[in-house]
Amino acid sequence: MMDQLTFDKENCERIQAVENSFPTSGRPLSKPGRILMGEGCLIKQGRRKPQPKVFFLFNDVLVYGSIIVNGRWHKNQKIIPLEDIKLEDMEDGVEMNYQWLIRTPRKSFFVSAPSYEEKRAWMEHIQECQESLRQGGRQQPRPRFAVSWIPDKAALKCMRCFNNFTTTKRRHHCRKCGFLVCNSCSKERAVIDHIHPTKKLRVCRSCHKRNKEDEVSRLRGDSTGKSSSEEEDVAASSDEEEGEEMTQCYAQSSWLDTRMGTWGTGTYDYPRPMHLRPYSA
């Protein structure tokens, strides 16, 4: 077993390498007690099409970004606290196999792995890290999660007025339900607090009407007024570049072997709780 000083040094070097791979817009990732648990390439369902993304799993956050040069340079860094993540297993889709849904309060999206083993490894590693946070008393439950957006090509008509989309009648997403709607059916704006506490976001007329009815019920003290369910929560608008070329992602993910403290490719050693991290022999 690797001694603690060597483990800490190598872990620090791995985290620094991840930091350096986001040269311009990345936020610092080094933090006392943070451990890089795994990394790999997954396919993320974008608004228009699936895109390859690099993912880094730490013991407290999930980081992902766009690939510039595979294994070296990345951009559009996103950091999601593990306590804000809910995983849902999904069946294979038309475009993506071995997929699952990552739900967060601000945004929800589908990802897929190259194989069933890779999918299982990612889901179980994330869940193990979340369990470690719960055991340490750090994870607090988040009751509300964003819905996933319906991809652009999934609908030829507005899902509210049913008129065809054209070059002038463009597609938009309701941030409340994730439906594809035209501009005429989504002129209203509303604050969705778990996405942004003050910013007004695009919502469709149906969600706007439902919000008004819920507000009236709350003001009247009507106990029958229903609160928003998870399915009615919104997805945040995508600020990622969707014009990237689709590239194949065949390399196996790399994982930390928590028993030995070593780093390897294609190692499906599901991690133990972080309070059982490597220690001096």
Side-chain angles (χ1 to χ4, degrees), residues 66-88:
S66 303
I67 301 170
I68 303 178
V69 179
N70 194 19
R72 293 188 59 189
W73 304 111
H74 311 110
K75 61 181 179 179
N76 298 331
Q77 182 195 75
K78 302 292 186 296
I79 302 176
I80 310 174
L82 293 185
E83 63 187 20
D84 286 352
I85 290 177
K86 178 182 178 182
L87 303 182
E88 294 184 13

Side-chain angles (χ1 to χ4, degrees), residues 9 12 58 69 83 95 99 124 142 152 163 180 190 270 276 279:
K9 178 176 180 294
C12 183
F58 296 84
V69 179
E83 63 187 20
E95 289 188 301
Q99 65 177 336
E124 294 201 16
R142 300 293 297 266
D152 280 10
N163 290 324
L180 279 165
Y270 302 109
L276 299 179
Y279 59 89

